C-alpha cells in the first residue's frame, strides 16, 4: 500500500470519528474541501505544513496523525523486528 493511501485512510477515519464533514475539516485546517477529498483518496500527498494544519483541526499532534497512517500500512516481513543479525 502506498503511504498516500494509508494517510488518506487514517485521515478519513479520524475525521469520521470526530463527526466532521470534509467541509468542516477543510475550513478548520484552512484548505479546500476538494483537497481533503484528494488526500483521503490517496491521490495527493500532504506537505508537512498541511499535516500540522490537519492535526490541529482534528485536535491531534502531528505525530499522532502520522502514527495513524503508519497503523494503516500492512506489515511486511522486512518490517518485523527480529533482533541483531549475525
Amino acid at each position: 500500500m502506498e503511504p498516500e493511501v494509508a494517510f488518506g485512510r487514517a485521515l478519513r477515519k479520524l475525521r469520521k470519528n470526530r463527526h466532521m464533514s470534509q467541509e468542516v475539516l477543510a475550513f478548520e485546517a484552512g484548505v479546500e474541501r476538494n483537497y481533503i477529498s484528494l488526500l483521503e483518496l490517496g491521490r495527493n500527498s500532504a506537505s508537512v505544513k498541511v499535516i500540522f494544519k490537519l492535526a490541529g483541526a482534528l485536535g491531534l499532534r502531528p505525530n499522532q496523525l502520522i502514527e495513524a497512517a503508519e497503523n494503516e500500512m500492512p506489515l511486511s516481513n522486512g518490517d518485523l523486528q527480529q533482533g541483531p543479525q549475525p
Side-chain angles (χ1 to χ4, degrees):
M1 176 185 309
E2 293 297 318
E4 293 86 355
V5 174
F7 184 86
R9 287 182 181 182
L11 181 61
R12 178 177 284 127
K13 284 181 182 179
L14 291 165
R15 175 180 61 78
K16 288 189 173 198
N17 286 344
R18 285 159 177 74
H19 307 288
M20 296 175 83
S21 66
Q22 288 182 343
E23 291 84 1
V24 170
L25 177 57
F27 178 79
E28 295 291 327
V31 299
E32 297 291 326
R33 196 238 17 114
N34 65 327
Y35 185 61
I36 299 294
S37 176
L38 291 171
L39 288 173
E40 288 185 357
L41 293 170
R43 295 199 178 134
N44 276 20
S45 294
S47 67
V48 172
K49 184 176 182 177
V50 169
I51 291 170
F52 273 74
K53 287 180 171 187
L54 292 169
L58 291 166
L60 301 170
R61 293 185 314 272
N63 68 306
Q64 292 174 298
L65 184 51
I66 296 298
E67 185 176 346
E70 287 177 342
N71 291 336
E72 291 294 321
M73 296 287 289
L75 287 177
S76 66
N77 289 338
D79 293 336
L80 300 175
Q81 301 228 342
Q82 299 178 1
Q85 298 295 317

